[in-house]
Amino acid sequence: MVRAISNWGNYPVIQANEFSISSQEDIRQRLLDSSLIVRGNGRCYGDASLAPSIVSSVGLNRFLAWNPMDGILTCQSGVLLSEILEVFVPKGWFLPVTPGTKYITVGGAVASDVHGKNHHVDGSFSQHVIELELMTGQGELITCSRDTHPDIFWATCGGMGLTGAILAVTFRLKKIATSFIRYHHIKARNLYEILDLFDQYSSATYSVAWIDCLIKGENFGRSILMLGETASPEDLTENNERLRAGKEPFLNVPFNFPAFALNKLSIRAFNALYYGKNLTKESRKIVHYEPFFYPLDSILNWNRIYGSRGFVQYQFVLPEDSGRKGIEDILQRISKRGLGSFLAVLKQFGYQNDLISFPMKGYTLALDIPIVYGLFEFLNQLDEVVAGYGGRIYLSKDARMSSEIFWKTYKNAPKFQEVILRYDPELKFCSELSKRLKIKG
Amino acid sequence: MQRAVLLLGANADMAESMARHFAQRGYQLLLASRNTEKLASLESDLKIRYDADVQVFRFDANDYPSHHAFYHSLPVKPDVVVVAFGVLGDTEMAMGDWNSSQEIISANFTGAVSIVNVVALDFQQRQAGTIVGISSVAGERGRQSNFIYGSAKAGFTAYLSGLRNRLTRHKVHVVTVKPGFVRTKMIADVPTPVLLTATPDQVAKRIDRAIQKRKNVIYVLPVWRYIMLVIKLIPEFIFKKLSL
Ligand SMILES: Cc1cc2nc3c(=O)[nH]c(=O)nc-3n(C[C@H](O)[C@H](O)[C@H](O)COP(=O)(O)OP(=O)(O)OC[C@H]3O[C@@H](n4cnc5c(N)ncnc54)[C@H](O)[C@@H]3O)c2cc1C
């Protein structure tokens, strides 16, 4: 049945057929009919998991093997990170890398090669992946890793579903002593201060900053740096259950909000933190991992707060050498334009240089912007600036970049394209994104 | 003591939800199906998720002579047996092809009778146990779109009713389940009205409650009781002209 379907940003909306499946055989059958793309939990922002024909992986929801000695887990690709937490946190294990929402599938974590607050020390999700089971466009099953079929392994990590359907993933969990975080936050008066703080705290396991994009003058770039370490049992009071998984959401946003609601909300959130109880520059406390990693997951469907026109998340990375100057330049343009998001997330990335994955050593900035008249022209200009500094845009958040910018900024794109065409010569796995960026289809 | 449940036709969506539900409640699980390969991933999943005690067995509803040996070679005698297998089939095809007709009848009626007879005699002797039969609202009145399936389910419903009558004095309980529309993994392909469609999880919960409260005949969504009442009230001279 054809219906309107979109991902987290509610933009773009396309008419598509989404098929549920429960076995690899089901996918093989679908491949005989038409080209398609696999969709996980639809938490990418734009068109990466959209196509006229979509196969939903969420029915592939089984854990296949678990070794408690070394923490190696094999599960089907439709298992949600939230399910992994629910089962393994009580056993003393955590995700090696987690994005800002736990409602994504393991397949989506690989296909976007997601990063978390620990990228600068632990890298992206793929660094913890041992093996993938993949179905290619010809219905062939391939087990790939760094040693066997490394070409398709690397094209699949961050490859946005264009190499085929990931069926199962084997990866390493991280041992934890408690489900709590030793949290430490520091206010930075301006951009220079926050960038210095990142360097100063580069050995912290988890780090990320909220940055005020609108303020001008001497407080330009004022931010809050949030650091975290897994708490040890001694950090806890007796009331804390040592290993406890987070709770399920209890708030829901039932309908689309008028567009103006959002900026007020994020301004308030930021101000509450900045001027609120913690008047001191720094503060430390013990918090459960849930609010630390997933502050927004407690509100189901918060994306509806942006209204029915939808929004985009603009996330780019700049390499380290030009990064400081570049972030300042781009923030100034955003602040001058007064467009969109009050709040942005700034993070320092560690070294990474894989075939098609987004992260590289440097700085990444992500901001949510409701779609308004003139926005795309402005973002096109920003794209040129990002490209000029040697940076690039995260495909998993993107809904609008031009193919020229993609080919200019992803240096390995030709090699990536060569691999996917070799394994999928009939172009069975294509998405709206792969067509827009002229990668495939 | 740990209770054991035998799920016959364990690959069905509803059976999978029941397996998860029973695993969370600490039951020992005996999962049986024709396709044990497909069951393997469910087995590992239940073990990893719930530390469940799970075993998988091959069972073919159409292979009647094997049923006695299948049941009596199980490592433990179950406290609850759920008949979850069944085949919807294609009525149009079945009309012209006796093999497909027979497959529908066997999977929904004769195969079920064959295995449940064996179970019933054991439960009767042990003076304990619960038998759950997943029948269908389609068995309440034959409709042109699925009457071969419907008539087999009608037979199964009548069988369960008689069995309940026979076993009550032996302290054995029989539950007849008429699910109505259930959202399966294939939902995108065949849309059904939301308010009339139960999720497999709802089915599992309702069945568990029916076992505990010793209910006899349940519809998963109560509204189905009234829908079927209305359908049964339509006079035959009108009903026969409807395209249902
Ligand atoms: C609130 C929020 C916060 C986020 N924070 C972060 C963050 O901190 N860091 C980060 O890196 N990302 C972040 N993201 C983005 C998100 O983690 C990724 O977009 C992720 O890929 C979504 O996974 P999904 O299961 O929802 O898949 P979808 O969104 O449905 O698909 C994403 C891509 O994966 C492909 N895919 C999915 N499953 C398979 C499969 N089985 N086989 C082949 N291809 C597949 C799709 O084709 C598509 O290209 C965030 C998103 C939200 C909504």
Side-chain angles (χ1 to χ4, degrees):
Chain A
M1 189 184 49
V2 174
R3 65 182 176 100
I5 181 161
S6 59
N7 287 322
W8 194 245
N10 290 328
Y11 176 87
V13 181
I14 70 156
Q15 294 295 321
N17 242 317
E18 187 173 23
F19 300 100
S20 317
I21 49 146
S22 61
S23 70
Q24 57 186 52
E25 207 36 56
D26 296 343
I27 305 183
R28 202 174 271 131
Q29 285 306 317
R30 290 288 166 208
L31 280 171
L32 300 177
D33 292 349
S34 65
S35 85
L36 52 87
I37 194 73
V38 180
R39 183 167 187 251
N41 209 31
R43 251 48 174 199
C44 67
Y45 280 69
D47 53 2
S49 61
L50 299 181
S53 191
I54 296 171
V55 162
S56 165
S57 67
V58 298
L60 299 174
N61 62 348
R62 287 170 180 178
F63 290 110
L64 300 176
W66 163 241
N67 184 341
M69 301 308 289
D70 49 17
I72 294 178
L73 174 68
T74 303
C75 63
Q76 291 183 330
S77 61
V79 168
L80 295 173
L81 300 189
S82 60
E83 295 178 271
I84 294 177
L85 293 169
E86 213 174 288
V87 173
F88 290 98
V89 166
K91 300 187 206 283
W93 297 89
F94 199 74
L95 297 162
V97 164
T98 178
T101 174
K102 60 180 174 169
Y103 298 117
I104 72 159
T105 63
V106 172
V110 173
S112 294
D113 194 7
V114 299
H115 56 267
K117 293 181 159 98
N118 53 345
H119 185 274
H120 59 291
V121 288
D122 295 321
S124 63
F125 195 83
S126 67
Q127 331 266 296
H128 308 271
V129 172
I130 296 165
E131 195 174 274
L132 299 173
E133 196 188 7
L134 189 77
M135 181 179 285
T136 66
Q138 273 126 323
E140 192 192 342
L141 282 185
I142 296 186
T143 303
C144 61
S145 67
R146 288 169 176 74
D147 307 316
T148 42
H149 303 292
D151 53 349
I152 192 129
F153 177 82
W154 289 115
T156 302
C157 296
M160 307 313 291
L162 299 175
T163 54
I166 302 166
L167 299 176
V169 181
T170 300
F171 63 107
R172 225 179 276 276
L173 295 184
K174 166 178 176 165
K175 186 114 191 107
I176 49 168
T178 77
S179 54
F180 290 82
I181 298 291
R182 208 173 328 122
Y183 171 77
H184 176 192
H185 90 226
I186 308 170
K187 289 180 204 169
R189 268 167 315 187
N190 55 43
L191 186 64
Y192 314 106
E193 205 173 303
I194 187 67
L195 293 173
D196 287 342
L197 282 172
F198 269 118
D199 285 339
Q200 194 182 331
Y201 287 94
S202 61
S203 63
T205 307
Y206 298 109
S207 70
V208 71
W210 280 11
I211 181 163
D212 176 345
C213 294
L214 297 187
I215 194 156
K216 297 172 184 158
E218 63 177 312
N219 282 333
F220 170 72
R222 66 172 185 176
S223 344
I224 303 168
L225 178 66
M226 302 178 222
L227 304 165
E229 300 294 336
T230 304
S232 57
E234 300 80 64
D235 294 326
L236 305 187
T237 65
E238 277 169 28
N239 302 337
N240 296 134
E241 192 185 331
R242 196 165 66 84
L243 291 165
R244 170 170 67 75
K247 294 202 173 51
E248 286 310 294
F250 53 95
L251 287 173
N252 191 357
V253 179
F255 50 79
N256 286 322
F257 271 39
F260 60 81
L262 180 83
N263 263 343
K264 287 203 175 135
L265 196 87
S266 55
I267 289 173
R268 210 173 294 157
F270 186 89
N271 286 346
L273 259 180
Y274 210 86
Y275 300 111
K277 276 194 214 114
N278 304 303
L279 285 173
T280 46
K281 186 174 162 65
E282 285 190 56
S283 111
R284 294 166 199 268
K285 58 183 170 186
I286 302 291
V287 297
H288 190 258
Y289 74 75
E290 184 78 23
F292 181 74
F293 287 113
Y294 313 114
L296 288 168
D297 277 352
S298 61
I299 310 169
L300 213 58
N301 298 321
W302 62 259
N303 53 338
R304 292 185 179 153
I305 232 166
Y306 282 94
S308 57
R309 270 176 306 181
F311 67 111
V312 292
Q313 184 171 87
Y314 193 70
Q315 180 172 4
F316 62 87
V317 58
L318 300 184
E320 192 173 39
D321 47 4
S322 65
R324 284 184 161 243
K325 186 155 168 288
I327 292 281
E328 181 179 354
D329 181 2
I330 293 172
L331 266 179
Q332 247 154 13
R333 289 169 195 261
I334 292 168
S335 143
K336 205 188 289 165
R337 177 88 183 200
L339 239 188
S341 164
F342 169 82
L343 196 67
V345 173
L346 178 66
K347 155 117 204 91
Q348 193 169 37
F349 273 160
Y351 177 80
Q352 183 167 355
N353 185 18
D354 293 330
L355 183 63
I356 198 67
S357 295
F358 165 68
M360 63 165 92
K361 190 161 175 56
Y363 300 92
T364 179
L365 187 77
L367 46 149
D368 289 344
I369 316 176
I371 295 175
V372 292
Y373 182 73
L375 174 68
F376 286 4
E377 288 78 3
F378 175 65
L379 293 182
N380 288 342
Q381 293 163 13
L382 275 194
D383 289 349
E384 295 291 349
V385 180
V386 168
Y389 284 106
R392 59 185 171 226
I393 287 159
Y394 192 9
L395 299 181
S396 204
K397 306 282 177 77
D398 178 52
R400 29 102 1 230
M401 146 173 59
S402 71
S403 67
E404 290 74 25
I405 290 288
F406 168 76
W407 285 90
K408 188 148 72 176
T409 55
Y410 278 79
K411 299 283 182 301
N412 294 327
K415 183 143 176 260
F416 171 64
Q417 190 185 42
E418 185 269 311
V419 177
I420 56 179
L421 293 184
R422 183 147 42 81
Y423 280 91
D424 184 15
E426 291 174 52
L427 312 184
K428 285 292 188 181
F429 289 94
C430 297
S431 61
E432 297 297 300
L433 176 134
S434 78
K435 285 180 225 162
R436 175 167 56 83
L437 299 181
K438 301 198 168 63
I439 303 171
K440 197 183 186 190
Chain B
M1 215 189 69
Q2 191 187 27
R3 287 159 61 80
V5 56
L6 170 63
L7 290 172
L8 296 164
N11 273 323
D13 285 348
M14 270 186 267
E16 174 176 338
S17 289
M18 270 184 267
R20 293 183 187 285
H21 193 76
F22 284 119
Q24 272 170 297
R25 304 197 55 235
Y27 275 76
Q28 178 179 358
L29 298 168
L30 310 169
L31 308 181
S33 159
R34 192 156 45 175
N35 185 344
T36 48
E37 207 175 301
K38 244 177 142 182
L39 273 188
S41 66
L42 180 59
E43 178 187 6
S44 62
D45 186 77
L46 294 167
K47 284 181 175 160
I48 294 169
R49 252 181 231 261
Y50 312 109
D51 291 318
D53 180 350
V54 192
Q55 280 167 283
V56 166
F57 305 91
R58 210 189 104 78
F59 167 78
D60 184 349
N62 298 329
D63 185 7
Y64 317 136
S66 70
H67 290 177
H68 189 271
F70 160 78
Y71 183 76
H72 288 284
S73 63
L74 290 173
V76 291
K77 289 277 175 289
D79 302 283
V80 178
V81 173
V82 182
V83 178
F85 57 82
V87 170
L88 192 54
D90 177 336
T91 311
E92 210 40 58
M93 190 166 106
M95 283 298 283
D97 171 23
W98 176 241
N99 280 341
S100 1
S101 278
Q102 205 169 21
E103 206 180 298
I104 297 174
I105 296 166
S106 179
N108 295 300
F109 182 53
T110 37
V113 170
S114 165
I115 181 68
V116 178
N117 279 347
V118 177
V119 175
L121 287 177
D122 175 51
F123 280 14
Q124 179 176 326
Q125 204 202 341
R126 287 159 57 201
Q127 298 278 305
T130 302
I131 296 168
V132 179
I134 313 264
S135 191
S136 170
V137 294
E140 300 200 14
R141 193 164 193 180
R143 294 180 289 129
Q144 60 175 311
S145 57
N146 64 1
F147 63 97
I148 298 185
Y149 170 79
S151 58
K153 285 296 193 190
F156 188 40
T157 300
Y159 170 84
L160 291 170
S161 143
L163 190 70
R164 180 180 307 113
N165 189 207
R166 171 188 168 115
L167 293 179
T168 297
R169 64 194 166 89
H170 296 289
K171 303 200 190 74
V172 177
H173 183 54
V174 177
V175 186
T176 308
V177 184
K178 299 178 181 173
F181 295 141
V182 177
R183 199 172 73 204
T184 66
K185 287 171 187 148
M186 288 297 163
I187 189 67
D189 310 58
V190 194
T192 54
V194 178
L195 290 176
L196 303 183
T197 308
T199 64
D201 285 344
Q202 269 176 317
V203 179
K205 275 198 193 114
R206 290 276 298 176
I207 289 176
D208 189 30
R209 222 176 59 195
I211 295 171
Q212 290 180 49
K213 300 210 156 157
R214 297 183 86 79
K215 296 248 194 248
N216 300 313
V217 180
I218 62 161
Y219 293 82
V220 172
L221 297 178
V223 44
W224 277 97
R225 192 176 290 277
Y226 303 103
I227 295 175
M228 294 322 294
L229 193 67
V230 170
I231 288 185
K232 280 185 289 190
L233 280 174
I234 301 173
E236 190 67 17
F237 71 88
I238 298 176
F239 194 82
K240 70 176 183 185
K241 294 187 190 133
L242 301 178
S243 49
L244 288 166

